[in-house]
Amino acid sequence: MRETQGVSFDMVAAEDGSAPRTGILVIGSLVMDRKFFAAGMLHGTAGRGETVWSVERHHGGVGRNIATNAARLGHPVTFAGLSGPGADAAELEGALTRLGVALHVRRTADGIGRFDVTLDAHGSQISSRITLPDPALGKALCGPALAERIEAAGAVVMEGGLDEELMVWVSKQARRHAVPVCCLPTRQADFGPRAHLLPHYDVLILNTKEAGALLGRRPGGPVRPGEQAGLLLGRGPRVVVVTDGARGAALATATAPGPVHLPAEPGVCADDTGAGDALASAFVVAMAAGLAPGDALAQGLCAARATIACPQSTCHSLSPALVGAPRSRTRTCGVNRT
């Protein structure tokens, strides 16, 4: 059943007898990543060489990653956020809709983020530049249409770097209908940790660096993920997951006596980009399916393990079978169980 105190997401039919609200509403960003690299030299008749540049395009954005992963894990998903009128927007939206993700977007000229990286012939970074939409544009999403999406959802996941008015409005709408809200802190370097927003979240998923920023870095302050999770739990959320890279993740819930830690096994690392988003996606999907937080985190670590071994930031092989296979009591997909 859906309850805040018990931190269960819901598989319960609405009061009018309609189908259970189990879909995930993701509110976040769409970003087009472009990697420019030297592909060779073009030699002219005068003997002068000119670098030939090539470009790789990849889809990004925390919200986009969460929506993509959740859809691959077999869950109904709606993505809400800013988009644009151009080819990048069409490409990003098309990839989501082909996965079955429903869209609720507000189009604006600068609605698509862009992250450009230039590499030299040896693969070393020469320069990088990121351009993201003005969060204030997101306030236009507030309204009856999005409110209906929130009411119908089983859970809401939103980026922590969105417009504050939008985030508070979403939280109020969700709590009006007992819909749990999960937040992933983003853009802390731009807007600060925003610790004052913690009471608006039911679930918080973040890494140790982000947790340190929220708690305030001070000499002797908590550095272990379990300590961080426990302290953040007392500031509003009912469930807190703090990830710690290859060392796994800590989980604290309002219904357990203390935090627990699930370590991750080492494995092949093709690219660790997107591993945290994969963990968060699988965790929310598992809780929306009725799993306990500890089991949900185990599935999240499985999803992260698969993503680390994959060259894409959202692994194409991610599936319900991959993260939900029967587990032994001692070891499963990079998670040690005791």
Side-chain angles (χ1 to χ4, degrees), residues 128-153:
S128 66
R129 179 183 180 186
I130 185 166
T131 304
L132 297 172
D134 179 358
L137 297 171
K139 285 196 284 264
L141 292 165
C142 299
L146 184 57
E148 290 180 6
R149 299 272 191 179
I150 294 169
E151 181 180 359

Side-chain angles (χ1 to χ4, degrees), residues 30 82-85 107-114 131-134 137:
L30 299 174
L82 298 176
S83 188
R107 298 194 187 282
T108 179
D110 299 317
I112 298 294
R114 290 178 175 81
T131 304
L132 297 172
D134 179 358
L137 297 171

Side-chain angles (χ1 to χ4, degrees), residues 46-67:
R48 295 179 178 178
E50 182 177 348
T51 302
V52 177
W53 295 91
S54 184
V55 61
E56 292 180 356
R57 293 159 58 88
H58 303 278
H59 299 174
V62 171
R64 197 255 9 154
N65 292 349
I66 298 292

Side-chain angles (χ1 to χ4, degrees), residues 26-117:
V26 181
I27 307 175
S29 58
L30 299 174
V31 178
M32 183 64 76
D33 298 338
R34 298 186 299 181
K35 183 186 296 183
F36 298 88
F37 57 94
M41 296 291 293
L42 179 63
H43 296 282
T45 56
R48 295 179 178 178
E50 182 177 348
T51 302
V52 177
W53 295 91
S54 184
V55 61
E56 292 180 356
R57 293 159 58 88
H58 303 278
H59 299 174
V62 171
R64 197 255 9 154
N65 292 349
I66 298 292
T68 296
N69 290 329
R72 286 187 174 138
L73 290 170
H75 214 72
V77 183
T78 297
F79 173 86
L82 298 176
S83 188
D88 285 352
E91 182 179 331
L92 285 159
E93 291 178 22
L96 287 171
T97 55
R98 285 192 293 274
L99 287 171
V101 176
L103 299 178
H104 180 90
V105 297
R106 171 79 176 185
R107 298 194 187 282
T108 179
D110 299 317
I112 298 294
R114 290 178 175 81
F115 179 53
D116 293 339
V117 177

Side-chain angles (χ1 to χ4, degrees), residues 53 72 80 83 92 100 110 121 219 231-232 256 284 306 308 313 338:
W53 295 91
R72 286 187 174 138
S83 188
L92 285 159
D110 299 317
L231 288 173
L232 288 168
V284 174
I308 290 170
S313 60
T338 57

Side-chain angles (χ1 to χ4, degrees), residues 280-333:
S281 304
F283 181 85
V284 174
V285 165
M287 286 200 67
L291 270 67
D295 292 328
L297 180 55
Q299 293 201 3
L301 286 164
C302 284
R305 173 72 267 159
T307 302
I308 290 170
C310 189
Q312 294 89 20
S313 60
T314 51
C315 185
H316 292 184
S317 65
L318 206 60
S319 68
L322 184 66
V323 302
R327 300 187 296 276
S328 69
R329 294 187 61 188
T330 56
R331 180 174 295 179
T332 171
C333 193

Side-chain angles (χ1 to χ4, degrees), residues 245-309:
R247 288 172 290 276
L251 168 71
T253 71
T255 55
V260 297
H261 182 265
L262 295 184
E265 293 179 354
V268 176
C269 181
D271 188 346
D272 61 1
T273 304
D277 295 341
L279 183 150
S281 304
F283 181 85
V284 174
V285 165
M287 286 200 67
L291 270 67
D295 292 328
L297 180 55
Q299 293 201 3
L301 286 164
C302 284
R305 173 72 267 159
T307 302
I308 290 170

